[in-house]
Amino acid sequence: MRAFLKVVSVVFVLTHTLFALEAPSIPPLLIVPMAKVPVQINALHVETEVIGAIVTSHVTLTFYNPNNNELEGNLEFPLREGQVIESFALESLDESHTMMPSSAIEKQRGEEVFEAIERRNADPALLSQTVSNNFKLRLYPILPKKQRTIRLDIVETLSPNNSGYFTYYTPLSFEIPSLKKSSFTLSLYGISKENLIKKGMLEESTISALKNGIKINSQKPLSKLTKRPIALWKPSIESHTIVSSFEDERYFVSELPLHWISLSQKPAKNLALIWDASSSGEKRDHAKELALLETYFKQLPKEETSHVSLSIVRNEAEPLLLFDIQGSDWAQLRHVLETIAYDGATNAGAWSVPKELPKSESVALLFSDGLANWKEMSEISSPVPLYTINASPFNNSLFLQQLAESNNGQFLDILTLSKEEALERITRRTTRITNMTGNNVDALVLNSCYPEHGRITISGKLLSDKATLTLTRQNPDGNSINQTFVLHTQDATQHPSFAARQWAKQRITQLEAQSHLHKAEIIRLGKKFGLVTAYTSLIVLENFEEYLRYDVLPPKGQMREAFFEIKARNELNSHAQKSQHLDHLVSRFNDKVLWWGKEFPKEDKKYMPPEEVKASAVTSAPMMAMAVSSAAPMRESMAKSSSVSMSAENPTSSVLSIQLQKYEPNAPYAKRIKEAKPEDRYAIYLDEKPNYAKSTAFYLDVAQIFFENKEETLALRILSNIAEMELENRHILRILAYRLQQMNQFDCALPLLKRVLELSPHEPQSWRDLGLLYAKMGEGQKAVDTLWEVVSTEWESRFADIDLIALGELNALLANSTNLDTSKFDQRLLKNLPVDLRAVLTWDADDSDMDLWVIDPNDEKIYYGHTLSYQGGRISRDFTAGYGPEEFILKKAKKGTYTVKAHFYGTRQQIVTPYTTLMLTLSTAFGTDHQKDEHIILRLKGRSEDVFVGTFTVGE
């Protein structure tokens, strides 16, 4: 058995709000799949400075590993709207303990580099964005009994409230029971002690004088921080403009007082409610949502009847529910909302507002976190104002804001707004900005088209100190008025980078509305300004050699200058590399063509073990490993029993069929659900669900039970929960997409595999999976073009033979299609090689070793140690470091039974669940118009485990 480096990894998932305004004080969830003791956050230090309206927080987090194994850490957290990560640093492992700065990198490239370095046991850290203002930190290694410290520098601006006061909240609001050390300081410059209003945590802090301000030190342990404000003060300036010079350009951010009008009106008589009932919706604060609706209905005249349509949406929309509400009596509607089962994925494409709503006295309210993850996205076009309402610390606020403002409504975060404030915004029509121009300014961006506390925030490039801005504001009566402002840049607050990064952040937000059209610009801005975006991340590497090895631009300074010099000398010609790869592939393909053209004997022949081969001086077959043990009973597979008979128009004249063992889940929850009465089955599933919320196996098993009982709609809803489990886990998305294809739900699988490709274009499996799905959907040209990427690209050496396997699939598609353009393909590689039997094995865990075994009627086992059988069965090169595929092919099959097995040697990385998931495809008459495929999903629990998959039967 092969040796494995025993590296265990751990995931820190903060399911609550880190750096959030009003999240409950709950310990972060530390998931440790393979470690005995959870990793601990044992030190937390926050140093915050406020200059004018600019807030800079230096947050250091120290993690301690109490285990005897090295760990990788994944920390997921959200930021408040308006917060920007200015820098990210990692403490070095050497004796200096210096903080190593980060540099910007394309997101997918960052994942590729991090994992490549991790496999070499080096020292990387990666900070990336998942959705909207949610972020993920990957850190490796955390040594046994040792600590690692990271630092985040977070910048934001304060806006005055209705009374003109600045309010500062701590950037943290969760409990950390394991915390041993903590400190918090807040330095306010330009503020005296008399300017402060004693409120909240300030009453439990000490205040000391600075040269030009005051310093607040918290006496309360940071593990017990509350959501109360720390400090409240009256700012000394009325106009807030910040100017930064960045790479020979000047930028500004300005908060401008706007002459605005707000008109009150009665709550609308016609209310369209869209209620996101997906699994993630369970995390929303439903008490706040219901309190807002209670306040809304209380405002309705008692003598009038209002009409409410309720659309409950998960992975699909349920039929519309209609309610007539007399006065404020909404008890029936409330009961429905209080008893909703939160289950399934989030399909934003199914959100809709009834078109027949009258344009006057109507409004639409969408209650959701905005974390869409199901099917292709489509935008709502609402005939009435649409307000998007968030009550979850994990959310896609940018998407919700754009959705609302494009439909004449507003985004309301009721975690920060009171129910009265939220209701006022729904029931009042206010001034909005419809256009902006200026002199000596360029690239203007608005934070929102609606004023906040009578102010509007605008940023842009500053071309001269004498600059003006003209905003066109549309009042509620429909009239438009221009308002001009002079930017007093000489009185502005100067900051080295804040205004530049704020402008870039807002510009990126603007571009993300159509990110598929602006990906390149988003990447340019992210890399230039060092921002974490949907397409760029921040990475820290151990030393200069690592930056050079992986072609990652180092942080500014001497390293960067040396990097450019060496790179210029060592620039490689990528076209020459690609040509060299294709020449090598042609050579390997020609070897396969020679195999395909060779006639192999088909008589019965008992396979001789290696020692007998040596004794008889037979050298044609490679040495075979130890004989396989008796077939272990199959468990945890996800395929129905099936058999397909083939016609005689194959490479052989035999009749071919496939048999897969019927799946029988034996977990306790599966037994309970299967034995339930039909009318109780779904309720029992919901009862079991909280115990297995993070288990892909649970949803796969239960969905199969419902599918077999002809409850396809519920089966798909249950299966779709897997899309809700993690925001950007390509392994989970792959598993889900494979299972959806088994259910012929291609339209659901397609956006998942497109997302996998966005997350990991450096992995050839991402291209191959998508190409094969296009083929199933009848998109022949897209299929062969996508597969050609697998064929023509030179991948890492660990991805053995995937180019040759994908080439076989591409040629099979071309042979059975017409009118496909192959002009960009290397014609030397275009030859179809049809075979009687084909088996392909893939799996979900990177850095893992699986093996495909096939035992033929001669009792000969074909596997990585014996790659060519007596009768011509051929197996691809061994995949020992992740995903596969491994392929067995046989051109002409002799009569008898062929047993297909999978063997799991082990994994070098963290797995999503205690299982490793394998996917196998068994095909007969591959490459012909009679090709038939059967698919099966297996789950293996431990190392050195082999499972029986199924059989090919070849008859006369």
Side-chain angles (χ1 to χ4, degrees), residues 356-489:
E356 61 274 12
L357 278 178
K359 295 188 184 302
S360 62
E361 296 189 326
S362 298
V363 72
L365 305 180
L366 166 64
F367 290 82
S368 176
D369 55 23
L371 298 174
N373 49 35
W374 197 249
K375 291 192 175 180
E376 298 281 7
M377 183 72 71
S378 60
E379 295 185 5
I380 296 179
S381 178
S382 176
V384 300
L386 171 68
Y387 293 81
T388 55
I389 299 167
N390 170 67
S392 172
F394 274 91
N395 61 76
N396 190 344
S397 58
L398 299 178
F399 169 57
L400 292 174
Q401 179 181 333
Q402 290 166 352
L403 189 62
E405 293 187 2
S406 65
N407 284 283
N408 299 311
Q410 294 186 51
F411 166 64
L412 308 177
D413 186 349
I414 58 176
L415 292 181
T416 59
L417 293 172
S418 69
K419 59 187 179 183
E420 291 79 14
E421 289 173 317
L423 180 64
E424 183 179 6
R425 298 192 185 194
I426 295 172
T427 57
R428 299 183 74 89
R429 298 294 175 261
T430 188
T431 298
R432 58 181 284 159
I433 302 301
T434 58
N435 191 34
M436 53 186 173
T437 59
N439 292 320
N440 292 321
V441 292
D442 191 21
L444 299 176
V445 183
L446 275 177
N447 188 40
S448 171
C449 65
Y450 291 100
E452 183 76 21
H453 303 302
R455 291 173 176 267
I456 203 83
T457 301
I458 188 169
S459 59
K461 294 182 180 182
L462 189 63
L463 306 181
S464 170
D465 285 337
K466 297 180 180 180
T468 61
L469 294 172
T470 299
L471 304 182
T472 302
R473 51 187 177 87
Q474 185 182 68
N475 291 328
D477 58 7
N479 292 324
S480 293
I481 302 173
N482 290 335
Q483 186 173 351
T484 299
F485 301 86
V486 176
L487 289 182
H488 299 285
T489 55

Side-chain angles (χ1 to χ4, degrees), residues 748-766:
C748 296
L750 182 61
L752 297 176
L753 290 184
K754 285 183 176 179
R755 185 62 179 144
V756 169
L757 180 57
E758 288 179 7
L759 293 171
S760 52
H762 59 282
E763 293 175 342
Q765 293 84 358
S766 305

Side-chain angles (χ1 to χ4, degrees), residues 675-690:
E675 293 177 355
K677 297 178 181 178
E679 61 270 23
D680 295 336
R681 193 177 292 125
Y682 186 69
I684 291 174
Y685 149 71
L686 291 175
D687 182 55
E688 292 281 359
K689 182 183 174 185

Side-chain angles (χ1 to χ4, degrees), residues 132 351 684 699:
S132 189
W351 298 342
I684 291 174
Y699 296 115

Side-chain angles (χ1 to χ4, degrees), residues 713-912:
T713 300
L714 284 177
L716 189 59
R717 178 193 298 178
I718 292 165
L719 187 65
S720 73
N721 280 280
I722 296 175
E724 297 267 300
M725 290 176 62
E726 290 188 38
L727 296 177
E728 291 200 351
N729 189 310
R730 63 189 187 275
H731 312 303
I732 286 179
L733 296 179
R734 277 192 177 110
I735 295 168
L736 177 56
Y738 289 143
R739 185 66 185 100
L740 288 168
Q741 290 180 70
Q742 283 186 284
M743 299 172 66
N744 293 321
Q745 296 289 334
F746 300 146
D747 62 328
C748 296
L750 182 61
L752 297 176
L753 290 184
K754 285 183 176 179
R755 185 62 179 144
V756 169
L757 180 57
E758 288 179 7
L759 293 171
S760 52
H762 59 282
E763 293 175 342
Q765 293 84 358
S766 305
W767 297 90
R768 176 177 176 266
D769 289 342
L770 183 58
L772 295 179
L773 177 56
Y774 278 137
K776 292 177 182 177
M777 298 178 72
E779 298 277 357
Q781 191 64 55
K782 288 183 179 179
V784 294
D785 288 345
T786 308
L787 289 173
W788 181 250
E789 290 293 330
V790 185
V791 174
S792 61
T793 303
E794 184 174 13
W795 305 102
E796 287 185 61
S797 58
R798 66 191 184 98
F799 298 124
D801 271 1
I802 191 170
D803 50 359
L804 198 59
I805 293 169
L807 177 60
E809 292 160 340
L810 183 151
N811 279 319
L813 282 170
L814 291 175
N816 292 281
S817 305
T818 57
N819 301 321
L820 296 183
D821 181 11
T822 64
S823 58
K824 70 176 183 179
F825 303 161
D826 190 321
Q827 301 301 303
R828 297 174 295 173
L829 296 170
L830 301 186
K831 179 177 175 61
N832 187 35
L833 307 177
V835 296
D836 273 357
L837 306 180
R838 182 177 187 256
V840 179
L841 169 68
T842 59
W843 54 94
D844 71 315
D846 195 6
D847 288 330
S848 302
D849 189 3
M850 315 292 169
D851 273 340
L852 175 64
W853 293 351
V854 178
I855 304 170
D856 71 9
N858 291 335
D859 202 30
E860 184 174 1
K861 185 176 79 170
I862 304 93
Y863 71 118
Y864 77 92
H866 180 62
T867 58
L868 186 64
S869 71
Y870 175 75
Q871 66 152 319
R874 172 188 172 114
I875 204 161
S876 59
R877 284 187 293 167
D878 192 20
F879 246 103
T880 62
Y883 303 131
E886 292 190 5
E887 176 194 56
F888 166 82
I889 48 177
L890 177 60
K891 181 183 177 183
K892 291 186 178 181
K894 63 174 288 184
K895 179 182 178 181
T897 298
Y898 297 75
T899 301
V900 181
K901 302 180 76 175
H903 184 86
F904 177 32
Y905 279 98
T907 182
R908 288 184 288 255
Q909 74 145 27
Q910 177 213 321
I911 52 179
V912 176

Side-chain angles (χ1 to χ4, degrees), residues 30 69 93 101-102 253 291 301 422 427 640 645 745 786 798 824 925 942:
L30 305 180
N69 305 88
L93 286 174
S102 61
V253 175
T427 57
K640 65 177 186 284
S645 296
Q745 296 289 334
T786 308
R798 66 191 184 98
K824 70 176 183 179

Side-chain angles (χ1 to χ4, degrees), residues 40-45 60-64 147-150:
Q40 300 166 357
I41 301 175
N42 66 357
L44 170 62
H45 303 283
T60 60
L61 292 166
T62 300
F63 302 101
Y64 174 68
Q147 298 182 155
R148 293 305 301 273
T149 297
I150 63 103

